[in-house]
Amino acid sequence: MSEEILMNITPMESRVALVENGVLQEIYIERSCSRGIVGNVYKGKVVRVLPGMQAAFVDIGLERAAFIHASEIAPRNDKNGDDQNEISIVGLVHEGQALVVQVTKDPLGTKGARLTTHISLPARYLVLMPHNNHVGISLRIEDEEERERLRTLVEGCLEQESRQEQGGFILRTAAEGIGEEEVRADILFLHRLWSSIEESIRETRAPAVIYEDLPLPQRTMRDLVNPDIEKIRIDSQETFQKVHKFVKKLVPQVDGRVEYYPGERPIFDLFGVEDEINKALSRKVQLKSGGYLIIDQTEAMTTIDVNTGAFVGHRNLEETIFKTNLEAAVAIARQLRLRNLGGIIIIDFIDMEEPEHQRQVQRAFDKSLEKDHAKTNITGVSDLGLVEMTRKRTRESLENVLCESCPTCSGRGTLKTAETVCYEIFREILRAARAYESDGYRVLASESVVDRLLDEESNNVADLEQFIGKPVRFQVEPIYSQEQFDVVLV
């Protein structure tokens, strides 16, 4: 499989695209005016404790207070972070207390950032957990011999360290196949980083930021680059030099794959990324067979409906449905990554009668989700035949980053018909006729509504004028939406 990373950098925003076999799979966007804060470490101040929710609000210097649950707070006398579900939030924190926290989720919509006191600091191959002594290994490394080799390697390096408090480590997926030199370098880097953070914690007053994660281009090199990546193309000379320096220090094995793209044609246009981003904002996703998906994102959950559309198949209905669902399973997994959809996701595949077809579609969906960097969990098929799953959400979806609710329909996605608005106008005129004395009425409304009042509703307008005994005149207001109108006394 051919994989490339494309970086489009401007002073206003940085965009990173992960492309597999020429098809966009993931897009990351970071704007200079609203950088993501996941991974940042803050010294915050507890401003409110909520015993009923077993949670607290913490001021970390942002517009909205951040939220932390009791399960995310390490007990003061327990450095191993043992389970403290039975400990009340009141016994863990109090108002006015300074608390060192890390952001696990960006502010989403009206919700503040989510926090934890279980700090974790990532490097290229290892993640340091300062308040833990456990050595863990990524579940994506499946070979048992390799897992045991890596665990022994880390434990051996830690034994040679003279530090009393070394902390725990997790080996990342990228650690597969690495040697002692790389492990030792990461451990040394992370220990130095934590020492500087501890010093800042002692010297800084809350609320304040203690540590900020890397900018998007460097973060990409740390987290997304793997042996399958063939090229990393960057269209900014300045960013290319920074990334090149970062790579030589931390990821030297991919140094030769980083290229500067000097072309006049925008890099995202050249590789068709802009078109794919625009398609990802559409509610409808067309499948190659002629079928299609309908994706509806709401605050509570995301629903995905699979339809055969124009695909009529060649053999029988069951085979047509099976092929559509099989193609949809792959397409849905890609759309989840591309749109960065998180939370609860409900998928309505077309009903299949053959159990073997159901199993094949399930396997195809599971296999397609294997490359997803976000944690996913499929709970199975409900009694209604719906596939229920969750996908970890740490940042805003693509739609929320690039779009806002329509000011005309307020995000409903529908408008009242011109006919409905006409009848609302009639009712408003009747209310005004009963409440006020006037010589007549002028209705200000959009062109589509006025046209209907003068055409299809002309008989009803005449009956209304006869009933109230006053004339009614109409005036088009170009700036009014279809639902807006005013009734003016004359």
Side-chain angles (χ1 to χ4, degrees):
M1 180 178 289
S2 169
E3 293 187 22
E4 292 187 41
I5 289 177
L6 311 175
M7 297 190 191
N8 169 230
I9 311 295
T10 65
M12 300 80 68
E13 69 175 359
S14 300
R15 300 189 298 172
V16 173
L18 177 61
V19 178
E20 295 177 2
N21 293 332
V23 179
L24 178 66
Q25 299 293 331
E26 296 182 21
I27 184 76
Y28 298 85
I29 299 174
E30 184 175 87
R31 290 175 173 165
S32 55
C33 61
S34 57
R35 277 191 59 185
I37 60 172
V38 170
N40 288 5
V41 177
Y42 292 85
K43 188 173 185 179
K45 187 176 183 180
V46 179
V47 292
R48 191 179 179 194
V49 178
L50 307 171
M53 295 178 63
Q54 282 296 290
F57 284 108
V58 182
D59 178 13
I60 58 174
L62 302 180
E63 182 180 347
R64 289 194 300 270
F67 179 88
I68 188 167
H69 190 266
S71 61
E72 294 292 344
I73 303 176
R76 299 167 197 167
N77 58 353
D78 184 3
K79 295 213 55 154
N80 291 321
D82 292 339
D83 182 26
Q84 72 272 18
N85 290 334
E86 296 182 2
I87 302 178
S88 168
I89 185 70
V90 178
L92 294 170
V93 295
H94 57 82
E95 289 188 14
Q97 176 183 339
L99 203 63
V100 178
V101 292
Q102 187 171 38
V103 178
T104 58
K105 287 186 181 181
D106 276 327
L108 300 173
T110 59
K111 300 174 183 176
R114 289 292 297 266
L115 306 175
T116 182
T117 63
H118 302 289
I119 309 296
S120 61
L121 302 172
R124 173 60 181 157
Y125 303 112
L126 300 174
V127 177
L128 170 65
M129 299 175 293
H131 304 312
N132 204 316
N133 292 316
H134 173 69
V135 175
I137 300 174
S138 167
L139 294 176
R140 292 179 184 264
I141 300 178
E142 298 178 352
D143 185 89
E144 283 300 326
E145 290 186 10
E146 177 64 9
R147 292 174 67 88
E148 188 58 36
R149 184 189 76 84
L150 290 171
R151 182 179 284 106
T152 304
L153 191 60
V154 172
E155 289 174 350
C157 290
L158 290 175
E159 285 177 5
Q160 298 173 26
E161 286 264 338
S162 59
R163 293 168 58 97
Q164 291 182 343
E165 296 183 4
Q166 297 172 334
F169 287 90
I170 295 175
L171 286 126
R172 308 180 72 178
T173 307
E176 190 168 8
I178 64 170
E180 182 178 344
E181 185 180 343
E182 292 92 338
V183 170
R184 195 179 301 280
D186 264 18
I187 290 175
L188 184 61
F189 166 75
L190 289 169
H191 277 160
R192 286 175 177 170
L193 176 60
W194 178 242
S195 295
S196 68
I197 290 175
E198 284 185 310
E199 186 177 344
S200 297
I201 291 171
R202 289 191 294 269
E203 297 175 354
T204 306
R205 294 184 61 183
V209 60
I210 300 297
Y211 163 78
E212 288 188 277
D213 204 359
L214 296 168
L216 180 60
Q218 287 90 327
R219 210 162 64 236
T220 299
M221 303 307 298
R222 183 191 69 193
D223 298 338
L224 295 184
V225 172
N226 59 62
D228 295 330
I229 299 293
E230 294 184 357
K231 291 290 180 186
I232 300 105
R233 306 176 195 267
I234 307 171
D235 66 358
S236 162
Q237 180 72 50
E238 182 183 355
T239 303
F240 167 73
Q241 292 173 352
K242 290 179 180 178
V243 169
H244 184 63
K245 184 178 179 182
F246 179 85
V247 165
K248 287 188 71 174
K249 183 178 179 182
L250 288 178
V251 205
Q253 65 271 28
V254 300
D255 188 21
R257 305 180 207 173
V258 182
E259 293 183 357
Y260 168 57
Y261 172 76
E264 293 185 5
R265 188 177 178 190
I267 189 170
F268 274 21
D269 287 353
L270 182 65
F271 288 85
V273 174
E274 292 288 8
D275 290 339
E276 289 298 321
I277 292 175
N278 289 328
K279 288 180 184 177
L281 299 176
S282 173
R283 182 170 175 257
K284 186 174 183 179
V285 178
Q286 202 69 45
L287 303 177
K288 290 182 180 178
S289 64
Y292 62 91
L293 311 175
I294 296 294
I295 302 177
D296 287 313
Q297 184 182 347
T298 69
E299 189 168 344
M301 67 179 70
T302 297
T303 60
I304 303 176
D305 187 33
V306 182
N307 299 281
T308 55
F311 181 50
V312 294
H314 302 287
R315 297 175 59 186
N316 54 52
L317 177 61
E318 179 66 20
E319 192 70 19
T320 301
I321 291 173
F322 171 58
K323 288 185 177 179
T324 303
N325 281 340
L326 211 55
E327 185 184 2
V330 178
I332 289 170
R334 173 177 174 259
Q335 291 296 324
L336 295 180
R337 295 172 63 189
L338 179 57
R339 298 172 185 238
N340 192 33
L341 298 173
I344 300 171
I345 299 165
I346 307 296
I347 305 169
D348 185 11
F349 285 107
I350 308 168
D351 292 338
M352 294 173 286
E353 296 182 0
E354 293 285 340
E356 179 58 27
H357 287 174
Q358 296 175 10
R359 284 192 290 270
Q360 288 190 43
V361 169
Q362 182 74 46
R363 281 198 297 268
F365 189 44
D366 291 340
K367 186 172 180 59
S368 299
L369 286 173
E370 286 178 359
K371 293 197 67 80
D372 197 337
H373 294 96
K375 183 180 179 181
T376 57
N377 179 39
I378 302 176
T379 60
V381 182
S382 71
D383 295 339
L384 297 176
L386 305 174
V387 174
E388 301 174 355
M389 66 172 292
T390 59
R391 184 173 184 270
K392 188 174 182 180
R393 174 168 50 196
T394 57
R395 54 192 174 92
E396 294 270 23
S397 68
L398 184 66
E399 181 183 285
N400 287 341
V401 170
L402 300 181
C403 306
E404 64 181 7
S405 294
C406 170
T408 302
C409 70
S410 300
R412 295 200 317 268
T414 57
L415 286 174
K416 294 178 182 176
T417 64
E419 181 182 24
T420 299
V421 178
C422 288
Y423 296 159
E424 287 183 356
I425 290 172
F426 293 157
R427 289 194 292 272
E428 184 61 28
I429 291 173
L430 286 171
R431 276 194 290 268
R434 294 189 183 101
Y436 308 104
E437 286 292 332
S438 70
D439 296 328
Y441 303 92
R442 177 180 289 110
V443 176
L444 312 179
S446 65
E447 185 173 356
S448 59
V449 172
V450 171
D451 287 347
R452 184 176 182 91
L453 287 166
L454 296 175
D455 191 359
E456 292 96 327
E457 306 296 336
S458 58
N459 290 335
N460 290 330
V461 171
D463 292 342
L464 179 65
E465 287 180 323
Q466 184 177 1
F467 180 77
I468 62 175
K470 305 287 172 57
V472 180
R473 300 292 178 260
F474 304 103
Q475 179 179 322
V476 173
E477 283 293 333
I479 63 171
Y480 277 24
S481 70
Q482 186 162 290
E483 294 187 356
Q484 287 181 289
F485 68 86
D486 284 305
V487 175
V488 182
L489 307 181
V490 293

